[in-house]
Amino acid sequence: MTTSSRADHAPKPVPKPAPRPAPVPPTSPQENRVPDTAWFTHDRFGMFVHWGLYSLAARHEWVKNREKLTDEQYQVYFDHFDPDRYDPLQWARTAKAAGMRYVVLTTKHHDGFCLWDSRLTEYKVTRTPHGRDLVGPFVDACRAEGLKVGFYHSLIDWHHPSFPVDGTHPQRDDEEFKAAAADRDIRDYQRHLHGQVRELLTGYGRIDYLFFDFSYAGRAWWGGKGADDWDAPRLMAMVRELQPHILVNDRAGLPGDFVTPEQYQPSAPMTVDGRPVLWEACQTLNGSWGYDRDNLDHKSPDLLIRMLVDGVSKGGNLLLNVGPNGRGELDPRDTAALAEIGRWTGLHERSVRGCGPSPFTPPADCRYTQRGDRLYVHLFAWPLRHLHLPGLEGRVRYAQLLNDASEIVQVPPATGPAMNTQMGGQPPGTLTLQLPVRRPDTPVPVIELHLN
Ligand code: GLC
């Protein structure tokens, strides 16, 4: 068996992963307001961290809503919040080793509890037994590891005394509570919200990414709130003025820099009103964002890697969540999955980093990603001996398995009667690769094709 391209590949330079985009210099509000999205589409993979008082309840971050807990009942977690094993450098290193390049921390979740020393509330970490700011050390740790810094911030607030009771509020069925809350003025809450976002975006230097949570265009389905309730135009304007380069999602109810499909994989590159948009799927490891001790619904590393690849093949990012426990430590089940993902990304980084969709159409059970003249075939199932790639005949000068750089032989195109007997009558223009019978021992094998 010969390859169609053995002769012409020898002197070609060895490709390296696409260079990281040059860091964007700090900008002043007067300068360029168009945020630079290059790092986001290059990096492709980030870590989401859901951490707060609910981590002590250890049964989902919506526990206050689900169990309709009052402030008094929920107070027990505040009184016992003392994450003595908090080590953000460890988080950052875990993220980096998994192949993630940015980390997004819940500064405040729906329960209203703040992980920083906000001047605008007493409902914050510095009033708990822990008594120290958590956000600063997080930001420093990310920077020390060369990771981009992201903040999640909940627009919803189940603790603030001016937040009107809506369909998500823990006291939504408590008539007495609702009667007493009838005159709550959301404009008071808006001032608080805007003030807190200002604190976060002025207190910690450059912040690369902001995830507001949440309202959607059609808000009626959950009887909740939307852009008007947050005074979203002013809020977004302030964000862009304070951090002109920041990337913001669309969950304040206004278009942002990217959209955030939650716990599903889109079936194609995403569009809004017919126009392509940047997108990032946020996904959990086990269905819960906050630490959920008894939840055993963990996705396998193999599935998680396929989700990452599937997203990149459709032009999207993956923001994969961990829920540290009440002592501040990552769950060993999570770190084991991340380590496994890291073993894969270590070998296959260049098939996702800096890559995006390919104009070619992959065969069944495969995903294509592409960066320049490199086309990456991700095999979600291992075929028997031959892999047929429509439209690629004569377009590939070299093919190799990415995990060990072992050559993959191209079967010369068959002609005449041999066409039917040898290769089952593939359509003209199909490239056939001859694979080893044994699948490489890696969750998702990748073939790197060097295109002509
Ligand atoms: C949802 C949930 C929330 C989680 C978020 C992550 O909107 O309310 O608990 O933080 O999604 O995307």
Side-chain angles (χ1 to χ4, degrees):
M1 202 66 69
T2 57
T3 74
S4 60
S5 60
R6 269 183 193 279
D8 64 354
H9 72 262
K12 299 283 180 332
V14 180
K16 296 271 180 319
R20 291 177 62 80
V24 186
T27 46
S28 75
Q30 288 73 34
E31 289 173 60
N32 176 22
R33 279 164 193 263
V34 180
D36 176 20
T37 57
W39 70 265
F40 185 73
T41 48
H42 174 266
D43 288 359
R44 288 296 184 210
F45 191 21
M47 175 186 268
F48 215 169
V49 183
H50 275 68
W51 193 43
L53 296 184
Y54 45 80
S55 310
L56 272 66
R59 49 185 194 276
H60 200 278
E61 79 285 355
W62 274 60
V63 59
K64 194 180 186 201
N65 160 291
R66 289 180 170 185
E67 299 178 16
K68 300 184 184 172
L69 302 177
T70 62
D71 282 347
E72 294 68 36
Q73 289 169 318
Y74 202 70
Q75 181 66 22
V76 69
Y77 307 123
F78 186 97
D79 294 341
H80 291 90
F81 191 76
D82 190 10
D84 60 328
R85 312 269 299 173
Y86 176 48
D87 182 357
L89 210 47
Q90 186 58 34
W91 295 4
R93 288 184 180 145
T94 303
K96 194 169 170 181
M100 296 153 157
R101 290 293 175 265
Y102 56 105
V103 188
V104 182
L105 172 68
T106 49
T107 54
K108 178 191 89 163
H109 202 261
H110 305 336
D111 63 7
F113 176 69
C114 299
L115 298 194
W116 80 105
D117 189 19
S118 172
R119 286 183 298 277
L120 302 173
T121 185
E122 294 299 303
Y123 202 53
K124 57 183 176 183
V125 61
T126 44
R127 293 282 179 267
T128 67
H130 188 67
R132 296 187 298 283
D133 171 41
L134 298 170
V135 172
F138 162 80
V139 170
D140 293 345
C142 292
R143 291 209 188 106
E145 289 300 311
L147 302 171
K148 292 268 191 298
V149 179
F151 288 163
Y152 164 108
H153 194 75
S154 176
L155 301 164
I156 296 169
D157 193 315
W158 298 328
H159 182 267
H160 195 273
S162 298
F163 188 81
V165 179
D166 61 21
T168 71
H169 198 282
Q171 276 67 61
R172 61 196 170 279
D173 297 327
D174 181 337
E175 296 308 326
E176 210 178 312
F177 187 96
K178 284 201 292 190
D183 61 351
R184 290 183 174 196
D185 185 348
I186 196 149
R187 284 168 304 182
D188 291 339
Y189 173 68
Q190 276 169 15
R191 278 188 283 279
H192 173 78
L193 169 69
H194 290 213
Q196 289 206 315
V197 172
R198 177 176 289 277
E199 284 184 347
L200 286 167
L201 297 186
T202 52
Y204 297 98
R206 183 186 168 111
I207 304 303
D208 302 289
Y209 169 116
L210 184 59
F211 189 117
F212 281 130
D213 197 30
F214 66 85
S215 52
Y216 293 108
R219 62 170 141 142
W221 67 270
W222 63 284
K225 300 182 174 61
D228 298 347
D229 298 295
W230 325 122
D231 190 3
R234 265 192 347 108
L235 181 62
M236 293 288 261
M238 179 186 74
V239 167
R240 301 227 186 261
E241 185 188 325
L242 295 175
Q243 301 264 353
H245 54 273
I246 203 167
L247 301 186
V248 194
N249 74 348
D250 64 336
R251 290 198 190 179
L254 293 180
D257 301 308
F258 60 100
V259 301
T260 56
E262 179 172 325
Q263 304 226 45
Y264 76 91
Q265 291 293 118
S267 47
M270 293 188 78
T271 57
V272 171
D273 299 330
R275 280 199 299 276
V277 285
L278 292 189
W279 66 269
E280 174 195 68
C282 47
Q283 298 279 5
T284 59
L285 286 169
N286 64 358
S288 174
W289 301 93
Y291 179 60
D292 198 1
R293 185 192 56 205
D294 303 332
N295 179 328
L296 301 177
D297 213 4
H298 291 79
K299 299 176 181 82
S300 67
D302 173 78
L303 175 60
L304 294 162
I305 293 164
R306 279 184 280 134
M307 287 158 56
L308 170 64
V309 166
D310 179 70
V312 177
S313 79
K314 294 163 186 165
N317 285 26
L318 174 63
L319 186 65
L320 185 59
N321 181 73
V322 294
N325 65 25
R327 298 189 73 178
E329 284 195 316
L330 299 174
D331 187 320
R333 294 168 290 192
D334 298 359
T335 45
L338 294 177
E340 183 79 12
I341 294 171
R343 274 189 284 280
W344 185 88
T345 51
L347 288 173
H348 300 93
E349 177 170 25
R350 65 185 198 244
S351 79
V352 288
R353 200 88 68 206
C355 291
S358 167
F360 299 104
T361 306
D365 298 326
C366 293
R367 296 289 185 284
Y368 280 165
T369 63
Q370 194 167 341
R371 176 174 33 78
D373 68 352
R374 294 304 136 85
L375 177 61
Y376 296 96
V377 190
H378 299 79
L379 291 135
F380 285 9
W382 191 249
L384 174 64
R385 209 75 180 130
H386 297 112
L387 181 66
H388 306 290
L389 306 177
L392 286 179
E393 202 240 313
R395 306 186 81 142
V396 174
R397 62 188 154 80
Y398 191 65
Q400 61 177 345
L401 274 168
L402 199 46
N403 60 292
D404 65 354
S406 59
E407 184 181 13
I408 292 293
V409 170
Q410 303 182 36
V411 179
T415 48
M419 219 174 137
N420 286 323
T421 50
Q422 279 186 359
M423 285 303 146
Q426 297 301 319
T430 299
L431 168 67
T432 295
L433 300 179
Q434 182 173 301
L435 305 185
V437 171
R438 285 183 70 93
R439 174 185 191 283
D441 185 19
T442 185
V444 176
V446 181
I447 300 170
E448 181 179 62
L449 302 178
H450 297 222
L451 302 179
N452 288 321

